[in-house]
Amino acid sequence: MGINNKFGTLYGVGMGPGDEELLTIKAVNTIKKCQVIMAPSSKEGGKSTALSIAKNFIGKDKEIIVQHFPMGGAEQEKKIFDAFKEVEQRLMNGEDVAFLTIGDPFVYSTYIYLLNYIREKGYTVETIPGITSFCAAASLAGEKIVIGNERVCIMPASQIDKLTDEKFIVIMKVYRREREVLDFLEKNKFTYVYIKRAYREGQKVLRSREEILENSDYMSLIIASRE
């Protein structure tokens, strides 16, 4: 429950993998009704991928805030708190805020950290799910993620050496760790597919080591399995 019904609502809106046609109807309707649109950027003064996906659904009367979120450390904490204060100001003015995030809001998203501050103050929050990058990538590659009664491990590349007996894995955040990951997968008899920029310009599905190392990209992941 919100602290007072005169305040606005924060909506965490999943933008899916990158194709505006993969947005849910609920996501589009939420963007249209909110007075304020906030979107993250990985660089100070940079563009927001999430915002670019939503651009055709944002009216000219909206306030747009692009917030820089650095990766990790004290600076990240400060930026998240700064974003919270920006959001809180709008909520206290009775405005609804849509926080846009690629994929789903609860999968490796800055929104999760922002939510901690919002919930602590008791503001009303609603989260709109989005198609995850790995589900989109699997569809593009025609590759299963998991089957039957098996389990699947979804993990960042930095944790690849923690795997034990898993048969089905999804490896996120592989950029600049491709060689390390491929070495591990090949040593442990995994078959793999590398999906780059799923459902956006420059998308590629790659299955050979050489092609993967030549096409390294920030927006990429690996789906792998073994017998």
Side-chain angles (χ1 to χ4, degrees), residues 56-109:
N56 290 329
F57 307 107
I58 299 175
K60 294 182 179 179
D61 58 332
K62 309 291 186 183
E63 180 187 7
I64 298 174
I65 303 169
V66 177
Q67 183 75 34
H68 171 229
F69 291 101
M71 301 300 290
E75 187 182 1
Q76 182 187 40
E77 285 296 322
K78 181 182 183 303
K79 290 289 187 178
I80 290 168
F81 185 75
D82 290 345
F84 159 68
K85 297 305 292 184
E86 292 276 5
V87 170
E88 183 177 44
Q89 179 183 336
R90 275 70 181 180
L91 298 180
M92 293 182 69
N93 290 338
E95 298 175 299
D96 294 329
V97 179
F99 185 93
L100 312 184
T101 178
I102 57 174
D104 182 88
F106 284 127
V107 179
Y108 291 123
S109 169

Coordinates of all heavy atoms in Angstrom, one line a residue, residues 56-109:
N56 N 8.4 5.4 -29.6 CA 7.1 5.6 -30.4 C 5.9 5.6 -29.6 O 4.8 5.8 -30.1 CB 7.0 4.5 -31.5 CG 8.1 4.7 -32.6 OD1 8.5 5.8 -32.9 ND2 8.5 3.6 -33.2
F57 N 6.0 5.3 -28.3 CA 4.8 5.3 -27.4 C 4.8 6.4 -26.4 O 4.0 6.5 -25.5 CB 4.7 3.9 -26.7 CG 4.8 2.8 -27.7 CD1 5.9 2.0 -27.8 CD2 3.7 2.5 -28.5 CE1 5.9 0.9 -28.7 CE2 3.7 1.5 -29.4 CZ 4.9 0.7 -29.5
I58 N 5.9 7.3 -26.5 CA 6.0 8.4 -25.5 C 5.5 9.7 -26.1 O 6.1 10.2 -27.1 CB 7.5 8.5 -25.0 CG1 7.9 7.2 -24.4 CG2 7.6 9.7 -24.1 CD1 9.4 7.2 -24.0
G59 N 4.5 10.3 -25.5 CA 4.0 11.5 -26.0 C 4.9 12.7 -25.8 O 5.7 12.6 -24.9
K60 N 4.7 13.8 -26.5 CA 5.6 14.9 -26.3 C 5.3 15.7 -25.0 O 6.1 16.5 -24.6 CB 5.3 15.9 -27.5 CG 5.7 15.3 -28.9 CD 5.5 16.3 -30.0 CE 6.0 15.7 -31.3 NZ 5.8 16.7 -32.5
D61 N 4.2 15.4 -24.3 CA 3.9 16.0 -23.1 C 4.6 15.4 -21.9 O 4.4 15.8 -20.7 CB 2.4 16.0 -22.9 CG 1.8 14.6 -22.8 OD1 2.4 13.7 -23.5 OD2 0.8 14.5 -22.2
K62 N 5.4 14.3 -22.1 CA 6.0 13.6 -21.0 C 7.3 14.2 -20.5 O 8.0 14.8 -21.4 CB 6.3 12.1 -21.4 CG 5.1 11.4 -22.0 CD 4.0 11.1 -21.0 CE 3.0 10.2 -21.7 NZ 1.8 9.9 -20.8
E63 N 7.6 14.2 -19.3 CA 8.9 14.5 -18.8 C 9.8 13.3 -18.9 O 9.4 12.2 -18.4 CB 8.8 15.0 -17.3 CG 10.2 15.3 -16.8 CD 10.3 15.6 -15.3 OE1 9.2 15.4 -14.6 OE2 11.3 16.1 -14.8
I64 N 10.9 13.4 -19.5 CA 11.8 12.3 -19.7 C 13.1 12.5 -18.9 O 13.8 13.5 -19.1 CB 12.2 12.1 -21.2 CG1 10.9 11.7 -22.0 CG2 13.2 10.9 -21.4 CD1 11.1 11.6 -23.5
I65 N 13.5 11.5 -18.1 CA 14.7 11.6 -17.3 C 15.6 10.4 -17.7 O 15.2 9.3 -17.5 CB 14.4 11.6 -15.8 CG1 13.5 12.7 -15.4 CG2 15.7 11.7 -15.0 CD1 12.9 12.5 -14.0
V66 N 16.8 10.7 -18.2 CA 17.7 9.6 -18.4 C 18.8 9.7 -17.3 O 19.5 10.6 -17.2 CB 18.4 9.8 -19.8 CG1 19.5 8.7 -20.0 CG2 17.4 9.8 -20.9
Q67 N 18.8 8.6 -16.6 CA 19.6 8.5 -15.4 C 20.8 7.6 -15.6 O 20.7 6.4 -16.0 CB 18.8 8.0 -14.2 CG 19.5 8.0 -12.9 CD 19.7 9.3 -12.3 OE1 18.9 10.2 -12.4 NE2 20.8 9.5 -11.6
H68 N 22.0 8.1 -15.3 CA 23.2 7.3 -15.5 C 23.4 6.4 -14.3 O 23.3 6.8 -13.1 CB 24.4 8.2 -15.6 CG 25.8 7.5 -15.6 ND1 26.8 7.9 -14.7 CD2 26.2 6.4 -16.2 CE1 27.8 7.1 -14.9 NE2 27.5 6.2 -15.7
F69 N 23.6 5.1 -14.5 CA 23.9 4.1 -13.5 C 25.2 3.4 -13.8 O 25.2 2.5 -14.6 CB 22.7 3.1 -13.4 CG 21.4 3.6 -12.9 CD1 20.4 3.9 -13.8 CD2 21.2 3.8 -11.6 CE1 19.2 4.4 -13.3 CE2 20.0 4.3 -11.1 CZ 19.0 4.6 -12.0
P70 N 26.3 3.8 -13.1 CA 27.5 3.1 -13.3 C 27.4 1.7 -12.7 O 26.6 1.4 -11.9 CB 28.5 4.0 -12.5 CG 27.7 4.6 -11.5 CD 26.3 4.9 -12.1
M71 N 28.3 0.8 -13.1 CA 28.3 -0.6 -12.7 C 29.1 -0.8 -11.4 O 30.4 -0.8 -11.5 CB 28.8 -1.5 -13.8 CG 28.0 -1.4 -15.1 SD 26.2 -1.8 -14.8 CE 26.4 -3.6 -14.5
G72 N 28.5 -1.0 -10.3 CA 29.2 -1.3 -9.0 C 29.8 -0.2 -8.3 O 29.9 0.9 -8.8
G73 N 30.1 -0.4 -7.0 CA 30.9 0.5 -6.2 C 30.0 1.6 -5.6 O 28.8 1.6 -5.7
A74 N 30.7 2.5 -4.9 CA 30.0 3.6 -4.1 C 29.3 4.5 -5.1 O 28.3 5.1 -4.8 CB 31.0 4.3 -3.3
E75 N 29.9 4.7 -6.3 CA 29.3 5.6 -7.2 C 27.9 5.1 -7.7 O 27.0 5.9 -7.8 CB 30.2 5.8 -8.5 CG 29.7 6.9 -9.4 CD 30.5 7.0 -10.7 OE1 31.5 6.3 -10.8 OE2 30.2 7.9 -11.5
Q76 N 27.8 3.8 -7.8 CA 26.5 3.2 -8.2 C 25.5 3.5 -7.1 O 24.3 3.9 -7.4 CB 26.6 1.7 -8.5 CG 25.3 1.1 -8.9 CD 25.4 -0.4 -9.0 OE1 26.0 -1.1 -8.1 NE2 24.7 -1.0 -10.0
E77 N 25.9 3.3 -5.9 CA 24.9 3.5 -4.8 C 24.5 5.0 -4.7 O 23.3 5.2 -4.5 CB 25.6 3.2 -3.4 CG 25.7 1.7 -3.2 CD 24.4 1.0 -3.0 OE1 23.5 1.6 -2.4 OE2 24.3 -0.1 -3.5
K78 N 25.4 5.9 -5.0 CA 25.0 7.3 -5.0 C 24.0 7.6 -6.1 O 23.0 8.3 -6.0 CB 26.2 8.2 -5.2 CG 25.9 9.7 -5.2 CD 27.2 10.5 -5.4 CE 26.8 12.0 -5.3 NZ 25.8 12.4 -6.3
K79 N 24.3 7.0 -7.3 CA 23.4 7.3 -8.5 C 22.0 6.7 -8.3 O 21.0 7.3 -8.7 CB 24.1 6.7 -9.7 CG 25.3 7.4 -10.2 CD 25.0 8.8 -10.8 CE 26.2 9.5 -11.4 NZ 25.9 10.8 -12.0
I80 N 22.0 5.5 -7.6 CA 20.7 4.9 -7.4 C 19.9 5.8 -6.4 O 18.7 6.0 -6.5 CB 20.9 3.5 -6.8 CG1 21.4 2.6 -7.9 CG2 19.6 2.9 -6.2 CD1 21.9 1.2 -7.4
F81 N 20.6 6.3 -5.4 CA 19.9 7.2 -4.4 C 19.5 8.5 -5.1 O 18.4 9.0 -4.8 CB 20.8 7.5 -3.2 CG 20.1 8.3 -2.2 CD1 19.2 7.7 -1.3 CD2 20.4 9.7 -2.0 CE1 18.6 8.5 -0.3 CE2 19.7 10.4 -1.1 CZ 18.8 9.8 -0.2
D82 N 20.3 9.0 -6.0 CA 19.9 10.2 -6.7 C 18.7 10.0 -7.6 O 17.8 10.8 -7.6 CB 21.1 10.6 -7.6 CG 22.3 11.2 -6.9 OD1 22.1 11.5 -5.7 OD2 23.3 11.3 -7.5
A83 N 18.6 8.8 -8.2 CA 17.4 8.4 -9.0 C 16.2 8.3 -8.1 O 15.1 8.7 -8.5 CB 17.7 7.1 -9.7
F84 N 16.4 7.7 -6.9 CA 15.3 7.6 -6.0 C 14.7 9.0 -5.6 O 13.5 9.2 -5.6 CB 15.7 6.9 -4.7 CG 14.8 7.2 -3.5 CD1 13.5 6.7 -3.5 CD2 15.3 7.9 -2.5 CE1 12.7 7.0 -2.4 CE2 14.5 8.2 -1.4 CZ 13.1 7.7 -1.4
K85 N 15.6 9.9 -5.4 CA 15.1 11.3 -5.0 C 14.4 11.9 -6.1 O 13.4 12.7 -5.9 CB 16.3 12.1 -4.6 CG 17.1 11.6 -3.3 CD 16.1 11.5 -2.1 CE 15.6 12.8 -1.6 NZ 14.8 12.6 -0.4
E86 N 14.9 11.7 -7.4 CA 14.2 12.2 -8.6 C 12.8 11.6 -8.7 O 11.8 12.3 -8.9 CB 15.0 11.9 -9.8 CG 16.3 12.6 -10.0 CD 16.1 14.0 -10.6 OE1 15.0 14.4 -10.8 OE2 17.2 14.6 -10.8
V87 N 12.7 10.3 -8.4 CA 11.4 9.6 -8.5 C 10.5 10.1 -7.4 O 9.3 10.4 -7.6 CB 11.6 8.1 -8.4 CG1 10.2 7.4 -8.2 CG2 12.3 7.6 -9.7
E88 N 11.0 10.2 -6.2 CA 10.2 10.6 -5.0 C 9.6 12.0 -5.2 O 8.5 12.2 -4.8 CB 11.1 10.5 -3.8 CG 10.3 10.9 -2.5 CD 11.1 10.8 -1.2 OE1 12.2 11.3 -1.2 OE2 10.6 10.2 -0.2
Q89 N 10.4 12.9 -5.7 CA 9.9 14.2 -6.0 C 8.7 14.2 -6.9 O 7.7 14.9 -6.6 CB 11.0 15.1 -6.6 CG 10.5 16.5 -7.0 CD 11.6 17.3 -7.7 OE1 12.8 17.0 -7.6 NE2 11.2 18.3 -8.4
R90 N 8.7 13.4 -7.9 CA 7.5 13.3 -8.8 C 6.4 12.6 -8.1 O 5.2 13.0 -8.3 CB 7.9 12.5 -10.1 CG 8.6 13.4 -11.2 CD 9.9 13.9 -10.8 NE 10.6 14.7 -11.8 CZ 11.8 15.2 -11.6 NH1 12.5 14.9 -10.5 NH2 12.3 16.0 -12.6
L91 N 6.6 11.5 -7.4 CA 5.6 10.8 -6.7 C 4.9 11.7 -5.7 O 3.6 11.7 -5.6 CB 6.1 9.6 -6.0 CG 6.8 8.5 -6.8 CD1 7.2 7.4 -6.0 CD2 5.8 8.0 -7.9
M92 N 5.6 12.6 -5.0 CA 5.1 13.5 -4.0 C 4.2 14.6 -4.7 O 3.3 15.2 -4.1 CB 6.2 14.1 -3.2 CG 6.9 13.1 -2.2 SD 8.2 13.8 -1.2 CE 7.2 14.8 -0.1
N93 N 4.5 14.8 -6.0 CA 3.7 15.8 -6.7 C 2.5 15.2 -7.3 O 1.7 15.8 -8.1 CB 4.6 16.4 -7.9 CG 5.7 17.3 -7.3 OD1 5.6 17.9 -6.2 ND2 6.7 17.5 -8.2
G94 N 2.3 13.9 -7.0 CA 1.1 13.2 -7.5 C 1.3 12.6 -8.9 O 0.3 12.2 -9.6
E95 N 2.5 12.6 -9.4 CA 2.8 12.1 -10.8 C 3.1 10.6 -10.8 O 3.9 10.2 -9.9 CB 3.9 12.9 -11.5 CG 3.5 14.4 -11.6 CD 4.7 15.2 -12.2 OE1 5.8 15.2 -11.5 OE2 4.6 15.8 -13.3
D96 N 2.7 9.9 -11.8 CA 3.1 8.5 -12.0 C 4.4 8.5 -12.8 O 4.6 9.2 -13.7 CB 2.0 7.7 -12.7 CG 0.7 7.6 -11.9 OD1 0.8 7.6 -10.6 OD2 -0.4 7.5 -12.5
V97 N 5.3 7.6 -12.4 CA 6.6 7.4 -13.0 C 6.8 6.0 -13.6 O 6.5 5.0 -12.9 CB 7.7 7.7 -12.0 CG1 9.1 7.6 -12.7 CG2 7.6 9.1 -11.3
A98 N 7.1 6.0 -14.8 CA 7.5 4.7 -15.5 C 9.0 4.6 -15.5 O 9.7 5.4 -16.2 CB 6.9 4.6 -16.9
F99 N 9.5 3.6 -14.8 CA 11.0 3.3 -14.9 C 11.2 2.2 -15.9 O 10.7 1.1 -15.7 CB 11.5 2.9 -13.5 CG 13.0 2.7 -13.5 CD1 13.8 3.8 -13.2 CD2 13.6 1.5 -13.9 CE1 15.2 3.6 -13.2 CE2 15.0 1.4 -13.9 CZ 15.8 2.4 -13.5
L100 N 11.8 2.5 -17.0 CA 12.0 1.6 -18.1 C 13.2 0.7 -18.0 O 14.3 1.3 -17.7 CB 12.0 2.3 -19.5 CG 10.9 3.3 -19.7 CD1 11.1 3.9 -21.1 CD2 9.5 2.8 -19.5
T101 N 13.1 -0.6 -18.2 CA 14.3 -1.4 -18.1 C 14.2 -2.5 -19.2 O 13.2 -3.1 -19.4 CB 14.5 -2.0 -16.7 OG1 15.6 -2.9 -16.7 CG2 13.2 -2.8 -16.3
I102 N 15.4 -2.7 -19.8 CA 15.4 -3.8 -20.9 C 15.2 -5.1 -20.2 O 15.5 -5.3 -19.1 CB 16.6 -3.8 -21.7 CG1 17.9 -3.9 -20.9 CG2 16.7 -2.5 -22.6 CD1 19.2 -4.0 -21.7
G103 N 14.6 -6.1 -21.0 CA 14.3 -7.4 -20.5 C 13.2 -7.3 -19.5 O 12.2 -6.7 -19.7
D104 N 13.4 -8.0 -18.3 CA 12.4 -8.0 -17.3 C 13.0 -7.2 -16.1 O 14.2 -7.3 -15.8 CB 12.1 -9.5 -16.8 CG 11.1 -9.5 -15.7 OD1 9.9 -9.6 -16.1 OD2 11.4 -9.5 -14.5
P105 N 12.1 -6.5 -15.4 CA 12.6 -5.6 -14.3 C 13.3 -6.4 -13.1 O 14.1 -5.8 -12.4 CB 11.3 -4.9 -13.8 CG 10.4 -4.9 -14.9 CD 10.7 -6.2 -15.7
F106 N 13.0 -7.7 -13.0 CA 13.6 -8.4 -11.9 C 14.7 -9.4 -12.3 O 15.1 -10.3 -11.5 CB 12.5 -9.2 -11.1 CG 11.6 -8.3 -10.3 CD1 10.2 -8.3 -10.4 CD2 12.2 -7.5 -9.3 CE1 9.4 -7.5 -9.6 CE2 11.4 -6.6 -8.5 CZ 10.0 -6.7 -8.7
V107 N 15.3 -9.2 -13.4 CA 16.4 -10.0 -13.9 C 17.6 -9.0 -14.1 O 17.6 -8.3 -15.1 CB 16.1 -10.8 -15.1 CG1 17.3 -11.6 -15.6 CG2 14.9 -11.7 -14.9
Y108 N 18.6 -9.1 -13.2 CA 19.8 -8.2 -13.4 C 19.5 -6.8 -13.8 O 20.1 -6.2 -14.7 CB 20.7 -8.9 -14.5 CG 21.3 -10.2 -14.1 CD1 21.2 -11.3 -14.9 CD2 22.1 -10.3 -13.0 CE1 21.7 -12.5 -14.5 CE2 22.7 -11.5 -12.6 CZ 22.5 -12.6 -13.4 OH 23.1 -13.8 -13.1
S109 N 18.6 -6.2 -13.0 CA 18.1 -4.8 -13.3 C 18.5 -3.8 -12.2 O 18.3 -4.2 -11.0 CB 16.6 -4.8 -13.6 OG 16.1 -3.5 -13.7

